Amino acid sequence: MASILIIDDEARFSEVLVKLESLMPQEIWITKLYYAQNKLTLVGSTAKNENIVSFLDNLKKPEEFSDVTFDYTQRDPESATFSFEIMMHVK
């Protein structure tokens, strides 16, 4: 019985990844992803801060995600990129 739950969880996680990919602007790179107990945290980077705003807006639209919150953005002066963290619940 436990293996069925694991398979179901893996299938659900695959669906989440496919949905995320469809919502991401091309210039967003996810560097870390944490998923536990229906909570998803994304850490990533981009060359343009407005890509983060666009991604955040996109994540708030589908019913699969709720309580989408933006934790931080920080500019890296050496690479001229912006890092960010976004958290949400997965339904």
Side-chain angles (χ1 to χ4, degrees), residues 32-86:
K32 295 180 184 174
L33 185 147
Y34 305 99
Y35 182 70
Q37 299 175 341
N38 294 332
K39 292 175 82 173
L40 179 65
T41 301
L42 304 172
V43 178
S45 61
T46 185
K48 298 176 185 174
N49 202 31
E50 51 269 12
N51 289 331
I52 301 168
V53 174
S54 176
F55 188 34
L56 190 63
D57 287 343
N58 290 347
L59 290 170
K60 291 179 179 180
K61 293 175 185 175
E63 62 184 40
E64 292 92 341
F65 305 126
S66 66
D67 302 322
V68 178
T69 57
F70 178 73
D71 192 30
Y72 73 85
T73 185
Q74 183 175 358
R75 187 170 194 269
D76 181 351
E78 293 180 17
S79 66
T81 60
F82 296 88
S83 59
F84 63 89
E85 182 174 296
I86 297 172

Side-chain angles (χ1 to χ4, degrees), residues 11-21 35 40 65 90:
R12 178 70 181 131
F13 185 67
S14 294
E15 292 172 15
V16 169
L17 290 178
V18 168
K19 188 65 173 182
L20 282 175
E21 191 273 332
Y35 182 70
L40 179 65
F65 305 126
V90 179

